[in-house]
Amino acid sequence: MEKLENEISFFSKKTSLSLIMLMLFGVLSFSFFDINKIYPNSRLIATLSLVILALLVFLFSDLRVYIVNYFYSSYNEAKKVVWPEKNEVFKITISVFLFVLCMGIFLWIIDASLGWFIYDIILGWR
Protein backbone atom coordinates (compact mmCIF):
# COMPACT_ATOMS: atom_id res chain seq x y z
CA MET A 1 0.00 0.00 0.00
CA GLU A 2 2.79 2.42 0.90
CA LYS A 3 4.62 1.56 -2.33
CA LEU A 4 1.48 2.36 -4.35
CA GLU A 5 1.08 5.73 -2.61
CA ASN A 6 4.74 6.54 -3.31
CA GLU A 7 4.28 5.63 -6.98
CA ILE A 8 1.15 7.78 -7.26
CA SER A 9 2.93 10.62 -5.50
CA PHE A 10 5.92 10.25 -7.83
CA PHE A 11 3.72 10.26 -10.94
CA SER A 12 1.70 13.21 -9.63
CA LYS A 13 4.91 15.19 -9.06
CA LYS A 14 6.20 14.15 -12.47
CA THR A 15 2.91 15.15 -14.12
CA SER A 16 2.82 18.47 -12.29
CA LEU A 17 6.39 19.20 -13.31
CA SER A 18 5.68 18.35 -16.95
CA LEU A 19 2.57 20.55 -16.97
CA ILE A 20 4.55 23.45 -15.49
CA MET A 21 7.26 22.96 -18.10
CA LEU A 22 4.68 22.89 -20.90
CA MET A 23 3.13 26.12 -19.64
CA LEU A 24 6.58 27.71 -19.45
CA PHE A 25 7.39 26.58 -22.99
CA GLY A 26 4.03 27.95 -24.10
CA VAL A 27 4.77 31.39 -22.70
CA LEU A 28 8.30 31.36 -24.12
CA SER A 29 7.16 30.23 -27.57
CA PHE A 30 4.40 32.82 -27.56
CA SER A 31 6.99 35.51 -26.85
CA PHE A 32 9.66 34.08 -29.16
CA PHE A 33 7.43 33.84 -32.20
CA ASP A 34 6.21 37.37 -31.60
CA ILE A 35 9.76 38.73 -31.78
CA ASN A 36 10.91 36.50 -34.66
CA LYS A 37 8.23 36.70 -37.31
CA ILE A 38 9.27 33.48 -39.05
CA TYR A 39 5.89 32.32 -40.28
CA PRO A 40 2.64 34.28 -40.15
CA ASN A 41 0.81 31.79 -37.93
CA SER A 42 3.77 30.28 -36.08
CA ARG A 43 2.81 31.91 -32.80
CA LEU A 44 -0.70 30.49 -32.93
CA ILE A 45 0.46 27.03 -34.03
CA ALA A 46 3.11 26.78 -31.31
CA THR A 47 0.76 27.93 -28.58
CA LEU A 48 -2.10 25.66 -29.64
CA SER A 49 0.18 22.65 -29.99
CA LEU A 50 1.55 23.16 -26.47
CA VAL A 51 -1.96 23.62 -25.09
CA ILE A 52 -3.06 20.37 -26.76
CA LEU A 53 0.03 18.59 -25.43
CA ALA A 54 -0.68 19.91 -21.92
CA LEU A 55 -4.28 18.70 -22.19
CA LEU A 56 -3.09 15.25 -23.25
CA VAL A 57 -0.70 15.07 -20.29
CA PHE A 58 -3.53 16.19 -18.03
CA LEU A 59 -5.98 13.62 -19.42
CA PHE A 60 -3.60 10.74 -18.78
CA SER A 61 -2.59 11.84 -15.28
CA ASP A 62 -3.85 11.10 -11.79
CA LEU A 63 -4.57 14.79 -11.33
CA ARG A 64 -7.52 14.45 -13.70
CA VAL A 65 -9.22 12.00 -11.33
CA TYR A 66 -8.87 14.37 -8.37
CA ILE A 67 -10.21 17.35 -10.31
CA VAL A 68 -13.13 15.42 -11.79
CA ASN A 69 -14.04 14.13 -8.32
CA TYR A 70 -13.84 17.66 -6.93
CA PHE A 71 -16.22 19.06 -9.55
CA TYR A 72 -18.57 16.09 -9.16
CA SER A 73 -18.76 16.53 -5.39
CA SER A 74 -19.18 20.31 -5.81
CA TYR A 75 -22.08 19.71 -8.19
CA ASN A 76 -23.71 17.31 -5.72
CA GLU A 77 -23.34 19.85 -2.89
CA ALA A 78 -24.85 22.59 -5.06
CA LYS A 79 -27.91 20.39 -5.67
CA LYS A 80 -28.45 20.22 -1.88
CA VAL A 81 -28.68 24.01 -1.52
CA VAL A 82 -32.13 25.34 -0.59
CA TRP A 83 -32.62 28.49 -2.64
CA PRO A 84 -34.82 31.33 -1.31
CA GLU A 85 -38.19 32.13 -2.84
CA LYS A 86 -38.78 35.06 -5.17
CA ASN A 87 -40.48 37.34 -2.62
CA GLU A 88 -37.71 36.69 -0.07
CA VAL A 89 -35.05 37.61 -2.63
CA PHE A 90 -37.00 40.79 -3.47
CA LYS A 91 -37.22 41.81 0.21
CA ILE A 92 -33.52 41.18 0.80
CA THR A 93 -32.58 43.11 -2.35
CA ILE A 94 -34.69 46.11 -1.30
CA SER A 95 -33.16 46.06 2.19
CA VAL A 96 -29.64 45.98 0.71
CA PHE A 97 -30.41 48.93 -1.58
CA LEU A 98 -31.87 50.91 1.34
CA PHE A 99 -28.84 50.13 3.49
CA VAL A 100 -26.44 51.22 0.73
CA LEU A 101 -28.44 54.43 0.22
CA CYS A 102 -28.41 55.22 3.96
CA MET A 103 -24.70 54.43 4.22
CA GLY A 104 -23.96 56.65 1.21
CA ILE A 105 -25.89 59.56 2.74
CA PHE A 106 -24.17 59.03 6.08
CA LEU A 107 -20.68 58.97 4.52
CA TRP A 108 -21.50 62.05 2.44
CA ILE A 109 -22.56 63.93 5.58
CA ILE A 110 -19.39 62.84 7.41
CA ASP A 111 -17.20 63.85 4.43
CA ALA A 112 -18.87 67.23 4.04
CA SER A 113 -18.67 67.89 7.78
CA LEU A 114 -14.98 66.97 7.99
CA GLY A 115 -14.24 69.02 4.88
CA TRP A 116 -16.00 72.05 6.34
CA PHE A 117 -14.30 71.60 9.71
CA ILE A 118 -10.79 71.11 8.31
CA TYR A 119 -10.82 73.65 5.46
CA ASP A 120 -13.04 76.37 6.94
CA ILE A 121 -12.41 76.19 10.68
CA ILE A 122 -8.85 74.89 11.04
CA LEU A 123 -7.09 76.03 7.86
CA GLY A 124 -9.35 78.93 6.83
CA TRP A 125 -8.83 78.25 3.10
CA ARG A 126 -12.35 79.02 1.96
Side-chain angles (χ1 to χ4, degrees):
M1 182 70 175
E2 198 171 301
K3 183 179 177 185
L4 179 64
E5 288 176 2
N6 288 340
E7 287 179 14
I8 290 174
S9 175
F10 171 73
F11 285 121
S12 296
K13 289 178 184 175
K14 194 173 177 182
T15 303
S16 300
L17 182 63
S18 62
L19 287 173
I20 290 170
M21 287 177 53
L22 284 172
M23 286 190 294
L24 181 65
F25 286 140
V27 169
L28 291 176
S29 68
F30 192 77
S31 301
F32 174 75
F33 287 121
D34 183 40
I35 296 169
N36 302 324
K37 299 189 184 299
I38 300 169
Y39 298 108
N41 294 328
S42 59
R43 188 176 185 184
L44 177 67
I45 292 169
T47 306
L48 284 179
S49 62
L50 285 170
V51 166
I52 290 170
L53 191 59
L55 283 173
L56 287 174
V57 169
F58 173 74
L59 286 175
F60 293 108
S61 68
D62 296 332
L63 184 63
R64 175 186 53 88
V65 175
Y66 297 123
I67 292 177
V68 168
N69 285 338
Y70 172 77
F71 282 116
Y72 182 72
S73 63
S74 297
Y75 175 75
N76 285 335
E77 286 297 320
K79 288 195 315 189
K80 295 178 187 176
V81 172
V82 178
W83 298 102
E85 294 181 12
K86 186 177 180 179
N87 60 356
E88 188 178 354
V89 170
F90 182 73
K91 288 178 185 177
I92 292 171
T93 304
I94 293 298
S95 64
V96 167
F97 282 138
L98 288 175
F99 176 76
V100 168
L101 180 68
C102 292
M103 186 58 74
I105 291 171
F106 173 73
L107 291 174
W108 174 71
I109 290 171
I110 295 294
D111 181 50
S113 301
L114 285 174
W116 170 77
F117 181 71
I118 291 172
Y119 290 117
D120 289 347
I121 303 293
I122 295 176
L123 297 175
W125 285 2
R126 292 184 196 176

